[in-house]
Amino acid sequence: MRGRVAALVLAGLGLVTACSDSDADSPDGAGGFREASCELEGSASGQAALVEEDDAFTVTWDGFGVPSSDRFDYSVQLADEQGTRAQLLLVYQDGELAEHLVNVVGADFRQHDQETAPQVEGDRVTAVFARDDDALTDLEVTQWHAAAYSRDLSVGGACGPEDEPFLPFP
């Protein structure tokens, strides 16, 4: 819920920009992944990219490195046509990974850890979230939103239209 509120706050502050997307074939030509990217705007600019494959979601946040002090969250929210929402969240505290969560947002809010080993290279953070997670197995993603922000929202950025916090996902 905290991530959703933060995303809405960032969207309300006008920290938004355009999105690009594509349906793509896998390298073997069999199809099997979709991808989208957007500009993260806020106290600094960056980018977020989401790749959906049959077995995982890969998320990359560019432009907001992990700070050595304070708390910093990397978040992607996914939604389907039925209103089911899932948040993929990495939380860093004082430069160390503190949590890697999947939140299911709705009347029956659920939160649980999902083991992932994010890769941090400079100001780029990449994480793979397995689709075999109960919350993600059957999710037919039609919308998404990305953000990266400090706990006090003084540093960070988000993407999405000002009047609606979600972007279309191809």
Side-chain angles (χ1 to χ4, degrees):
M1 182 65 85
R2 180 188 65 239
R4 179 177 174 207
V5 171
L8 292 173
V9 168
L10 289 170
L13 294 172
L15 307 176
V16 297
T17 190
C19 170
S20 66
D21 55 49
S22 67
D23 284 316
D25 287 332
S26 62
D28 64 7
F33 71 88
R34 299 184 304 157
E35 62 184 339
S37 63
C38 65
E39 296 294 320
L40 297 171
E41 291 187 355
S43 63
S45 61
Q47 292 186 321
L50 172 64
V51 176
E52 177 190 36
E53 296 180 88
D54 293 337
D55 62 347
F57 290 101
T58 301
V59 186
T60 302
W61 296 268
D62 248 325
F64 296 97
V66 175
S68 59
S69 64
D70 201 7
R71 177 183 165 140
F72 207 83
D73 296 354
Y74 298 87
S75 172
V76 166
Q77 292 188 46
L78 310 172
D80 67 13
E81 291 292 326
Q82 291 73 41
T84 301
R85 294 181 181 182
Q87 179 186 41
L88 311 178
L89 178 66
L90 300 176
V91 177
Y92 282 84
Q93 181 68 46
D94 299 328
E96 299 294 324
L97 182 64
E99 298 177 277
H100 28 77
L101 302 171
V102 173
N103 299 320
V104 178
V105 179
D108 64 338
F109 177 78
R110 294 175 283 146
Q111 180 179 69
H112 62 276
D113 285 334
Q114 187 189 93
E115 291 297 322
T116 185
Q119 300 296 310
V120 178
E121 298 173 357
D123 65 354
R124 173 180 282 183
V125 177
T126 302
V128 177
F129 292 87
R131 285 206 64 148
D132 63 359
D133 187 295
D134 286 341
L136 303 176
T137 302
D138 297 322
L139 189 64
E140 299 284 334
V141 179
T142 59
Q143 300 175 64
W144 75 298
H145 177 272
Y149 48 87
S150 63
R151 174 120 191 177
D152 65 2
L153 302 179
S154 65
V155 176
C159 57
E162 287 185 41
D163 59 339
E164 175 64 38
F166 287 95
L167 300 166
F169 191 71

